[in-house]
Amino acid sequence: MVGVSIDGTSGVGANLDSARVDLAHVDLKIAGIIPFSATDWPGNLTATAFVQGCPWRCIYCHNFQLQPFGDGEASFEQLLELLRSRRGLLDGAVISGGEPTAQRALGDAIAAIHAEGFPVGLHTCGYQPRRLEELLADPATRPEWIGIDVKGLPEDMPAVVGGTLARAEAAWRSLEIVCAAARRSDLEIEVRTTIWPGSTLEAHLDAVTARVEALGFPLVVHQARGVDQDGYYVDNYGQ
């Protein structure tokens, strides 16, 4: 559990300059907010914001409504107000998606949450390695925890997520960046993947696991739920 002091702040907020962030102009596109979650950051109770927009089209995606880019139904200020109202009750905030690294305002959003005294967890598929490098280089924008999804070996990923081999290789570059940051700092991470029976990823799971473990971290394996024999999320039919 990330520690939160009795006044509802953590160590992150006290050392950050909130004046650096103009809260009125943090244009994070938020599709929705879960005010209380025990599942999005292991061992922590969080408010979780789901950003609108993802460049990938994972066949097993159960949040397909978050894929199109556009304005969300919630505002970043709503997230901050929720956090302020639950000081001492929440351990931190999580930014999920969609794909957060596709949002230009991600760094400012993390800095603003930190300035309120809350640690930040981040879910990502690693779509933008350069943005992750920038986030991790600055204490104001560096999350305390990152959950990063591995979609398969680079050569297998286009069939699972769409896109190109170059984008798949960039995602693995993101994984290397995140693992390197965790090895040299107190950043906590979870590297995870999702399989289903008969999938290419299941067939190549040993190779994926070995490649992740070579970076110094275990691979957490999840089973896709509600999918057909080809891995497509059943509720996506007709979308």
Side-chain angles (χ1 to χ4, degrees):
M1 177 178 291
V2 175
V4 177
S5 69
I6 194 167
D7 65 353
T9 61
S10 71
V12 294
N15 298 320
L16 298 174
D17 182 4
S18 60
R20 294 177 53 189
V21 183
D22 184 349
L23 300 183
H25 296 93
V26 179
D27 190 23
L28 194 71
K29 309 295 187 182
I30 299 179
I33 300 169
I34 294 178
F36 189 86
S37 172
T39 61
D40 290 315
W41 182 347
N44 289 277
L45 302 178
T46 69
T48 301
F50 294 87
V51 301
Q52 183 67 51
C54 181
W56 281 352
R57 295 296 180 266
C58 300
I59 61 176
Y60 54 82
C61 179
H62 61 277
N63 281 333
F64 60 90
Q65 69 276 13
L66 300 183
Q67 291 176 351
F69 285 93
D71 291 333
E73 297 183 1
S75 70
F76 182 68
E77 182 59 32
Q78 285 177 288
L79 176 62
L80 292 185
E81 289 175 358
L82 174 65
L83 292 171
R84 292 167 187 147
S85 72
R86 299 198 172 192
R87 292 190 187 278
L89 300 176
L90 293 174
D91 298 313
V94 168
I95 302 176
S96 187
E99 173 47 42
T101 67
Q103 299 268 340
R104 293 181 179 177
L106 180 60
D108 283 345
I110 294 173
I113 295 170
H114 278 162
E116 292 290 338
F118 288 92
V120 177
L122 176 68
H123 293 184
T124 182
C125 67
Y127 183 76
Q128 287 279 12
R130 182 174 298 179
R131 184 156 290 148
L132 276 170
E133 276 189 313
E134 292 172 352
L135 294 177
L136 293 168
D138 185 346
T141 61
R142 185 186 306 130
E144 281 66 43
W145 176 85
I146 295 176
I148 185 165
D149 293 305
V150 176
K151 306 295 186 177
L153 296 171
E155 57 269 28
D156 295 336
M157 285 177 57
V160 176
V161 306
T164 65
L165 179 59
R167 294 308 315 179
E169 291 171 342
W172 275 87
R173 173 61 183 149
S174 290
L175 177 62
E176 293 169 357
I177 290 168
V178 168
C179 288
R183 289 195 303 268
R184 66 174 182 262
S185 72
D186 57 358
L187 172 69
E188 297 180 356
I189 68 171
E190 178 182 86
V191 185
R192 61 221 183 173
T193 195
T194 302
I195 64 172
W196 61 95
S199 62
T200 301
L201 181 51
E202 182 184 57
H204 296 167
L205 185 59
D206 287 347
V208 174
T209 300
R211 187 163 173 177
V212 170
E213 290 179 346
L215 296 174
F217 296 90
L219 179 66
V220 177
V221 180
H222 297 286
Q223 291 283 341
R225 298 182 179 181
V227 299
D228 65 14
Q229 67 273 16
D230 297 315
Y232 288 91
Y233 188 57
V234 174
D235 283 357
N236 286 1
Y237 290 168
Q239 299 299 320

